[in-house]
Amino acid sequence: MIMKMENKPTVVDLFAGAGGLSVGFKDAGFKIIAANEIVKVFGETYLLNHPDTKLFTGDIRNITVDEFKKECNINGKKVDVVVGGPPCQGFSMAGSRDPKDPRNSLFKEFVRFIEGLKPKFFVMENVKGILSAKTVNKESVKEIIM
């Protein structure tokens, strides 16, 4: 017997791209309540895949957690999980591994949202090279792990 979940656990997807992580969590019985994507065409694709999710299209660095909650109509709603894949081009073994790539610090925005949304758990997808890249200093690695 399959039981229908009336109160599905909720998810916020940051750096969502086309919504691959959201698909996995939705298929597992979660409700995706909000997402963020800076690249307009990726956001459009996300909405095709997840038309019921409120999407904030813009630079996550330019919005506070409270503004995001208001914009995405999640004020007062419990967020069970935050998922996301901060950009990895500066860390990837296949990428440039450029220490000056401005996207290298975007994982800190993911951490900021974790601290602000206070989910029960989070999933941060990234690349193998993130912990060994010269683009990340030891303090940043500690920040990621903490």
Side-chain angles (χ1 to χ4, degrees), residues 36-113:
N36 158 258
E37 176 52 51
I38 191 171
V39 180
K40 184 179 178 186
V41 70
F42 295 167
E44 291 167 354
T45 302
Y46 186 95
L47 287 175
L48 289 173
N49 292 321
H50 307 282
D52 297 329
T53 300
K54 177 64 179 165
L55 177 70
F56 171 74
T57 305
D59 190 332
I60 198 167
R61 293 172 290 194
N62 297 333
I63 190 166
T64 68
V65 174
D66 287 339
E67 289 168 336
F68 178 83
K69 289 162 103 176
K70 184 177 179 183
E71 176 79 19
C72 293
N73 197 29
I74 60 173
N75 275 328
K77 291 182 185 173
K78 175 181 67 165
V79 176
D80 293 304
V81 186
V82 173
V83 300
C88 58
Q89 293 88 340
F91 308 122
S92 174
M93 306 295 249
S96 64
R97 297 179 68 96
D98 179 1
K100 294 181 180 159
D101 188 322
R103 298 170 291 188
N104 290 349
S105 64
L106 284 172
F107 73 87
K108 293 179 181 185
E109 298 302 319
F110 188 83
V111 171
R112 180 172 65 91
F113 270 72

Side-chain angles (χ1 to χ4, degrees), residues 12 14 21 25 81-86 110 114 121-125:
V12 169
L14 304 175
L21 285 172
F25 274 83
V81 186
V82 173
V83 300
F110 188 83
I114 296 296
F121 69 94
F122 68 91
V123 175
M124 186 181 100
E125 180 269 337

